[in-house]
Amino acid sequence: MTEGAARRAAYDEPEFGANVPDAPDDLAIDVPRETPTLPQPDAPRVMVVANQKGGVGKTTTAVNIAAGLAMGGLRVLVVDMDPQGNASTALGVDHEEGTTGAYEVLVDGHPLVDALQRCADIPGLWVLPATIDLAGAEVGLVATVSRETRLRSALDVFFRDFYVDYVIIDCPPSLGLLTLNALVAAKEIMIPIQCEYYALEGVTQLLRTINLVKGRLNDELTLTTVVLTMFDGRTNLSSQVADEVRTHFAREVLDTVIPRSVRIAEAPSYGQTVLTYQLASVGAQAYHKAAVEIAERGVGVH
């Protein structure tokens, strides 16, 4: 990337739009900022948060890890690939029907930078929102050339002229074309696993899909992070499940566990992450520690 003010980005492929407005000034790589308190990666880390099993804290983990990284002085982009738009809700950005967002980027080739919204509560955090329109993306992409690589192409163009330290991609709880786009675009996978019965249910199939993607579409894809969520220290079950997960994912699982927390559950209803809703809460502190751990583990990761 060349130095200087952020330039207008243009897609090489004719199917994508060529006119891109100037990005927010603070997305330019040469714009000064306060010294981050968290270590910066040597190159942007693109992480997909995936688990086809619902109710594991996937979106909650995506937005709160993103918030923790941004509050540590890093530039973070959250890509909401779930038609329900829960990540967009939690980060307080507009995602009503008709709002420019992930659907327009994937299906219409809309420039990614033109669809970004700032998270008002957290400096350094941007969001590509998801609207209900995204539910039709699976059908809209069926006959599209390179349908599995649309998000990766959009991010590649974005990175030519603009810079963030982390891209966190939130996926729907399924293994359809939206999740496939996310897996192809990412270099790292973060899997939230709840500390409950059948915790590893669905993870086996997800890992099988990951291996297929690695073999055919994205050789760089690596499982780097497993987050234990919904931990209840009062029960033997949570401890047993945590031990089982650590046995299966000894290197990938974070030391920090995310507890069951009323504050974590309440925060999205206020259009906030738990870190902005009640920073002193146990849940917020856990996600803060998890974000620190991810940042510290990421030094030297490309």
Side-chain angles (χ1 to χ4, degrees):
M1 183 182 299
T2 59
E3 296 293 326
R7 306 186 309 273
R8 291 180 179 268
Y11 287 97
D12 288 338
E13 297 84 352
E15 68 200 39
F16 287 105
N19 296 321
V20 183
D22 291 332
D25 289 340
D26 47 357
L27 266 177
I29 192 170
D30 58 336
V31 171
R33 59 176 171 179
E34 294 183 6
T35 302
T37 58
L38 293 180
Q40 293 176 260
D42 297 333
R45 295 179 68 185
V46 183
M47 309 181 76
V48 56
V49 184
N51 192 329
Q52 71 193 64
K53 190 172 186 297
V56 301
K58 180 180 55 60
T59 297
T60 300
T61 296
V63 299
N64 283 291
I65 292 296
L69 293 168
M71 291 171 73
L74 303 177
R75 294 183 173 105
V76 183
L77 166 61
V78 172
V79 176
D80 191 352
M81 292 286 281
D82 189 341
Q84 296 181 77
N86 291 335
S88 302
T89 297
L91 294 171
V93 299
D94 294 334
H95 62 105
E96 293 83 7
E97 185 175 0
T99 301
T100 300
Y103 177 90
E104 287 73 19
V105 171
L106 290 175
V107 178
D108 299 333
H110 197 94
L112 188 150
V113 69
D114 195 26
L116 297 187
Q117 296 185 40
R118 285 187 178 91
C119 175
D121 293 329
I122 306 173
L125 181 57
W126 293 267
V127 185
L128 177 65
T131 68
I132 192 61
D133 299 327
L134 194 58
E138 301 268 357
V139 175
L141 290 173
V142 166
T144 302
V145 176
S146 302
R147 60 188 180 184
E148 304 92 349
T149 63
R150 301 286 287 187
L151 180 58
R152 182 172 69 185
S153 297
L155 284 170
D156 285 346
V157 171
F158 174 80
F159 281 132
R160 292 178 194 169
D161 299 282
F162 309 110
Y163 180 81
V164 293
D165 297 294
Y166 284 81
V167 177
I168 307 292
I169 308 173
D170 185 40
C171 298
S174 66
L175 294 177
L177 202 49
L178 293 175
T179 298
L180 185 57
N181 258 270
L183 291 172
V184 172
K187 292 187 178 181
E188 301 181 51
I189 303 172
M190 182 191 307
I191 302 180
I193 300 178
Q194 84 281 28
C195 295
E196 296 180 352
Y197 197 58
Y198 293 136
L200 296 175
E201 184 181 273
V203 174
T204 300
Q205 186 177 349
L206 176 60
L207 294 176
R208 195 177 301 124
T209 302
I210 290 168
N211 288 332
L212 288 173
V213 172
K214 282 178 66 71
R216 299 179 182 180
L217 295 167
N218 183 5
D219 289 335
E220 296 181 297
L221 190 61
T222 305
L223 173 59
T224 61
T225 309
V226 173
V227 185
L228 292 167
T229 63
M230 303 181 187
F231 182 85
D232 188 343
R234 300 169 298 179
T235 68
N236 290 330
L237 178 61
S238 280
S239 296
Q240 292 168 357
V241 170
D243 290 342
E244 183 180 6
V245 172
R246 292 188 190 282
T247 298
H248 281 81
F249 303 103
R251 292 184 301 175
E252 296 83 4
V253 67
L254 297 181
D255 294 331
T256 305
V257 296
I258 309 302
R260 281 195 171 277
S261 166
V262 173
R263 297 294 178 257
I264 290 176
E266 287 177 346
S269 65
Y270 292 90
Q272 297 184 54
T273 67
V274 71
L275 290 167
T276 53
Y277 175 61
Q278 193 166 91
L279 182 58
S281 67
V282 173
Q285 290 302 304
Y287 271 119
H288 171 72
K289 290 178 182 177
V292 171
E293 194 173 344
I294 288 169
E296 291 178 345
R297 285 186 176 198
V299 175
V301 173
H302 292 277

